[in-house]
Amino acid sequence: MIRDLYNVRLRPADGAPSPLTDEEERRYRAVLFSELGNEIADRGWARYPAYTPEERHRLVDIAHRLTAHWGQRVLVEVEDPCRVRLHLADHGTPLP
């Protein structure tokens, strides 16, 4: 007998993070938008860890969404292989 499998995903290799579902991804981006947006509004910049290219792409998307929401440009700079800095365009260069 053949059975159909629904909603089955391949497991990642040992030690690799599991991919987020569409709903989890949407909720995570909403939290990042809110939390990073509040921090940038308070200080003019925010740092956030980004260990994988997917996480960096996610933060670039958040910066674009904040730019559209505020009408003020939010820039993204990679500080090191594990950290990204988002800041307002008029806030200047990153701190040492």
Side-chain angles (χ1 to χ4, degrees):
M1 174 192 283
I2 297 175
R3 296 179 188 243
D4 292 329
L5 300 175
Y6 298 102
N7 297 326
V8 175
R9 294 185 284 165
L10 294 175
R11 292 181 49 135
D14 289 339
S18 61
L20 299 176
T21 64
D22 291 339
E23 176 65 18
E24 291 169 335
E25 181 70 27
R26 187 190 61 75
R27 290 181 11 210
Y28 184 49
R29 285 177 185 250
V31 168
L32 285 177
F33 180 83
S34 175
E35 295 296 320
L36 292 177
N38 288 338
E39 191 170 342
I40 293 169
D42 291 343
R43 290 194 295 187
W45 62 276
R47 284 190 179 111
Y48 201 78
Y51 301 104
T52 64
E54 292 81 17
E55 291 171 338
R56 290 185 193 94
H57 291 296
R58 185 180 294 129
L59 292 172
V60 168
D61 181 55
I62 296 299
H64 290 301
R65 288 181 54 201
L66 287 170
T67 296
H69 181 71
W70 288 337
Q72 186 174 2
R73 197 159 175 219
V74 177
L75 302 175
V76 179
E77 294 178 1
V78 176
E79 290 190 328
D80 60 38
C82 299
R83 187 172 47 192
V84 172
R85 183 174 188 267
L86 289 79
H87 64 91
L88 296 173
D90 62 351
H91 194 269
T93 59
L95 301 173

